[in-house]
Amino acid sequence: MKPGPTWSYDDAPLKPRFRSQGGKQGSDGARGRSVAAYALLVVPFVFLLIFYFYPLVGIARASLLGLDHLDLAPLMARLISPGILRVIRFTFWQALLSTVLTLVLALPGAYVFARYRFPGKQMIQALVTVPFVLPAVVVAAAFNTVLGPTSGLSRWLGVDLRYTLAAILIAHVFYNYAVVVRMVRGFWSTLDPYLEEAARTLGASPWRVFWEITLPLLLPVVVTAGALVFIFCFTSFGVVLILGGPRFATLEVEIYRQTINFANLPLAAALSLMQILFTLVMTSVYARLQRHISRPLELKPQWATERSPRTPLEIGFLAVNILVMVVLLALPLLTLVIRSFGAGLQYYATLFEDSRQGVFYVPPLAAVGNSLKIALMTTGLALALGLMTSLATYRRGSSWLIDALFMLPLGTSAVTLGLGYLLTMDRPPLALRGTVALIMFAHTLVALPFVVRSILPSLQSIQPNLREAAALLGASPVRVLAEVELPIAWRALAVGAVFAFTISMGEFGATSMIARPEMPTIPVAIYRFLSRPGSLNYGQALAMSTILMVVCVVGFVAIERLRPPGPQAF
Amino acid sequence: MTFLEIDAICKTYDGAPLLRDVSLSVERGEIISLLGASGSGKTTLLRIIAGLEVSESGRVLLDGQDMTHIPVHQRGVVLMFQEYALFPHRTVAENVGFGLRMQGRPRSEIQARVSEMLGLVGLAGFDGRSVVQLSGGERQRVALARSLAPEPGLLLLDEPLGSLDRNLRERLLEDLALILRRVGVTAIVVTHDQTEAFSLADRVALLHDARVVQVGAPETIYRRPATPWVARFLGLTNLLPAVRVARDQVDTALGSLSLDSAQWTVGTASTDGYGRGIVLIPPWGIHLTDEGARANVFTATVSRAIFQGRTTELWLRTGETTLALTLELTDGTPRVGAAVRVWIDPGTLCWFQSDPEAPPDAVTQMRS
């Protein structure tokens, strides 16, 4: 699973800003609405049951397959092999290293964004977020280019950094820099600078102010951001698969290899089960941490806390941080684009050619067609399900159970999901294996939490008296929806749609497990091109990555533009 | 000897001057109040003294030493912030003891001093409480204790009562004045409220339009405001356009008024000079009288009478002009339409010469 935009930065948008009064007063109308709300939930719930819980059950069954009675010994025997233990150790180790490295680099960046006002700040801030929305294959392709033997960096260092731990770590920092910056900056910028100033006038040196005041106050949010980065890196798939090469495998990659390369489904299922347990534990830790972030402090608006850098030291500090951002974040993407034009327009031109080289060769244009088709269908389905879920949740007033239920897929890795589909979707009435529809269902499941999180806060921000006024003026509930609620929430619907579309375009983990070889999507095609020899294949991978990157960046810009003002959630 | 010397401080904000050539000296043990409307640069001046902001020119001398290159934490100047800036992750005792810990005092001494300070502000026994749970008034006291604990050479208070509601404010004002006196600390208090300024300070410095317009004891400032702005700021609104025709004589819409310039002790330029200007008739200088024609006695018709409790605002019409005069009446309010005679005490009048640059109607605009 790509460490994509999967988590909320703060839980504020999940809480209703204006409590809906329906359902609380126990009047007939309210009860009627509550029943209608549950009816709305039926379809999304059935979807979740079939395409989320059922595959998970399939994994659990497969990993205990062949056991007449409940005996965990064979399962343990499969898992406790030196090879698997090494994979588990490496998964933790690389996640830990990536997290520490990301925090070290991103915390100063968060400070700069939280406290300084400087020209181009908005733009750089947006730029920093771009990597976060890029598909893992694009990132892997970019770093493949930057770290590969022909790049300036490798020639300068005299080593090929591809297929090393360093490559994995750098790509993870690239991905998660924005996570830390956005989470920590958001909190830091509301920290009252007077606290630090008060400490200074009371005789604390700048260093002591940091240790005694700033750090303790920031610690909850830093730890939470670190936990999130750790989860992302722990479940990282595309980056490790492509940049790590055959020597490195995380649990995710191992599940993929055991499935695709060795067809050892029982072992893959056992690994998946373990992966599910790990992520479940980490996610609940994260959720606990997140609740502790908000201290009852006097929060300041950002404009009141930021200022221009003054001393040469401050200006230098700012410059170094911006340099880090540019080198770390912009350079790989620029290199990718430039190299994709390495042979003029040839790489792009050949995307349109149909030069069959092998049995499984599929023209690139077909992959683009597949991706677009799947993305459009995903958008439609995710929007419909998301709207039903949001309306039901909002009509009832918020319910943590519904929230939790529909956010659950966020905590499940895409590769695991793919494996679950492989194991369960092969028998009627669900003989969907190898169909485009199955890919669409997988993408919808991944996208659904984002769609809900886009739409729900916007609906909840509608003041109840607006609905009441419309009703008093004679509007039926359907009319209220059509005339008041949806027109107010249309931007959120658009954001949800763009989210669904870009997530589907970039999804790699689940797709790589379930897509038939002759039905690749763009990310799958990029992966295939990258793993084949020859500069033309490589160039075509870069060209497709560039196209996909542009699609995602356009989507990202659209989301930023359309997003209703207010607290941001991903 | 002067303890704090603020010397020709200049500061601009977004190109607009915030402080222009501001100079002020403070004696050891003295409490000075910086009084001015919001946005007059008072807080900025405090922050410059503390070292939290840098002035564009000018110096701050503390005990004869130039503070320009002394970092904030080595100045021995403590600033008490308007919203108190209590450390939310620390208890009450930890907050109060913070400055002492920075000074590296031994733990037992810190403990003793913290208790002493909490006792002083009336919060004995609050040591282990979380500051988050305190009420507004309690927070204010903790902030005060925290600021006083390290025995700062200079204490700066930014609107110390500004975040409290009205009733609490009046009560805590007395306490604050008492505590500051008892400790004997040198202090500068920024406030926009004249009652606060007058009850806390030995001397008041009025800031207006980025400048110090007047410095003096509260009574002096109130009796002899240096400019029409000061008069209006202090709520003295009986300002009439006038022409000074002789040393002790001005012509106004009321008629000719005598002054007693011998009473003027304030040697500001505005008390001298002739020609166009403004005369201030303070409420305590106006008396209803039964006397016949003599200097400074006028007949007027009451056009409105607004009972305001201790005072009554009378709108008097003489000829073509309507004037609002606030006066303190001891017995009954005159009826509307009644003819009254008023005597204006020459010794209470203040005269301000108009800025020769100002357009002639600037004076009339001041009334509106």
Side-chain angles (χ1 to χ4, degrees), chain A residues 195 197 200-201 204 212 297, chain B residues 47 73 86 88-90 101:
Chain A
L195 292 175
E197 292 183 349
R200 282 168 73 196
T201 75
E212 303 245 3
L297 280 171
Chain B
R47 293 173 59 82
H73 63 284
L86 297 180
H89 58 306
R90 298 288 170 93
R101 218 153 50 72

Side-chain angles (χ1 to χ4, degrees), chain A residues 134-316:
Chain A
L134 293 181
V137 276
V138 172
V139 174
F143 277 98
N144 216 310
T145 324
V146 174
L147 305 174
T150 52
S151 80
L153 181 69
S154 293
R155 262 176 297 184
W156 182 57
L157 289 171
V159 280
D160 183 354
L161 282 172
R162 285 180 308 169
Y163 316 130
T164 61
L165 178 60
I168 296 173
L169 296 186
I170 293 171
H172 281 166
V173 172
F174 171 86
Y175 244 135
N176 295 305
Y177 187 89
V179 178
V180 175
V181 163
R182 281 185 88 135
M183 277 179 85
V184 177
R185 178 213 57 201
F187 189 77
W188 207 332
S189 64
T190 58
L191 258 194
D192 190 350
Y194 289 165
L195 292 175
E196 291 164 14
E197 292 183 349
R200 282 168 73 196
T201 75
L202 286 166
S205 63
W207 192 234
R208 280 197 92 165
V209 171
F210 181 77
W211 279 110
E212 303 245 3
I213 308 297
T214 317
L215 194 62
L217 288 172
L218 283 180
L219 207 56
V221 77
V222 170
V223 170
T224 309
L228 189 53
V229 172
F230 187 88
I231 297 173
F232 284 158
C233 297
F234 190 88
T235 55
S236 171
F237 172 62
V239 163
V240 181
L241 182 70
I242 296 171
L243 282 179
R247 282 206 299 137
F248 296 103
T250 54
L251 268 173
E252 287 285 286
V253 172
E254 195 60 30
I255 296 167
Y256 173 82
R257 288 202 183 128
Q258 290 299 336
T259 309
I260 302 295
N261 300 353
F262 306 116
N264 188 349
L265 290 185
L267 179 54
L271 290 171
S272 282
L273 201 60
M274 193 154 61
Q275 173 83 323
I276 291 168
L277 291 180
F278 279 143
T279 43
L280 210 61
V281 169
M282 290 187 293
T283 313
S284 52
V285 168
Y286 169 74
R288 280 188 88 87
L289 286 171
Q290 206 189 25
R291 267 197 300 268
H292 288 283
I293 289 188
S294 28
R295 276 172 174 279
L297 280 171
E298 277 181 55
L299 297 182
K300 294 269 166 173
Q302 168 132 31
W303 58 262
T305 62
E306 58 174 27
R307 60 182 178 76
S308 304
R310 281 185 296 235
T311 63
L313 196 72
E314 288 176 349
I315 293 168

Side-chain angles (χ1 to χ4, degrees), chain B residues 73-325:
Chain B
H73 63 284
Q74 287 166 7
R75 292 191 178 198
V77 176
V78 170
L79 172 55
M80 181 174 144
F81 287 83
Q82 181 174 0
E83 286 106 359
Y84 315 131
L86 297 180
F87 306 135
H89 58 306
R90 298 288 170 93
T91 62
V92 167
E94 284 166 347
N95 264 281
V96 176
F98 187 87
L100 300 164
R101 218 153 50 72
M102 294 303 117
Q103 292 173 352
R105 306 251 195 116
R107 186 175 302 212
S108 58
E109 190 190 326
I110 294 176
Q111 236 164 22
R113 178 94 180 133
V114 167
S115 298
E116 183 194 339
M117 283 298 118
L118 287 177
L120 179 73
V121 298
L123 289 180
F126 273 61
D127 304 59
R129 295 253 198 125
S130 156
V131 294
V132 178
Q133 299 159 350
L134 301 181
S135 71
E138 286 163 350
R139 288 182 191 193
Q140 193 260 0
R141 284 155 184 266
V142 172
L144 183 61
R146 184 178 76 176
S147 306
L148 289 171
E151 295 174 89
L154 177 65
L155 176 60
L156 309 172
L157 302 101
D158 188 3
E159 301 276 4
L161 303 162
S163 301
L164 304 172
D165 57 47
R166 201 185 164 75
N167 286 333
L168 196 57
R169 239 170 132 136
E170 282 167 12
R171 220 159 37 108
L172 288 187
L173 178 58
E174 284 171 46
D175 290 354
L176 180 63
L178 218 70
I179 290 169
L180 291 181
R181 293 285 159 211
R182 191 184 305 169
V183 174
V185 66
T186 312
I188 302 181
V189 186
V190 154
T191 173
H192 67 277
D193 182 298
Q194 66 182 75
T195 322
E196 268 176 50
F198 288 170
S199 45
L200 291 173
D202 300 308
R203 284 191 302 149
V204 174
L206 270 149
L207 250 71
H208 175 58
D209 206 10
R211 293 179 198 279
V212 175
V213 287
Q214 192 172 7
V215 185
E219 199 184 337
T220 316
I221 286 189
Y222 200 59
R223 301 272 169 198
R224 297 291 168 204
T227 69
W229 179 84
V230 173
R232 292 182 65 82
F233 185 80
L234 298 177
L236 307 175
T237 50
N238 291 327
L239 291 157
L240 309 186
V243 180
R244 192 174 183 191
V245 291
R247 183 170 166 72
D248 279 344
Q249 178 123 18
V250 290
D251 286 343
T252 70
L254 279 175
S256 196
L257 276 175
S258 336
L259 327 159
D260 186 359
S261 60
Q263 300 244 351
W264 296 346
T265 48
V266 190
T268 51
S270 61
T271 57
D272 306 323
Y274 290 85
R276 217 172 252 287
I278 293 170
V279 69
L280 165 68
I281 308 169
W284 57 86
I286 308 172
H287 305 273
L288 292 180
T289 177
D290 297 329
E291 286 180 56
R294 67 168 195 136
N296 284 13
V297 172
F298 301 94
T299 308
T301 317
V302 177
S303 62
R304 265 174 90 188
I306 305 166
F307 177 69
Q308 291 177 331
R310 220 170 60 208
T311 60
T312 297
E313 188 172 298
L314 286 187
W315 291 57
L316 303 178
R317 186 177 311 182
T318 61
E320 296 293 297
T321 330
T322 304
L323 301 167
L325 299 173

Side-chain angles (χ1 to χ4, degrees), chain A residues 520-542:
Chain A
T521 60
I522 296 177
V524 173
I526 292 173
Y527 173 56
R528 275 199 216 157
F529 280 128
L530 276 179
S531 39
R532 285 196 192 128
S535 67
L536 183 61
N537 280 327
Y538 191 61
Q540 287 186 322
L542 300 189

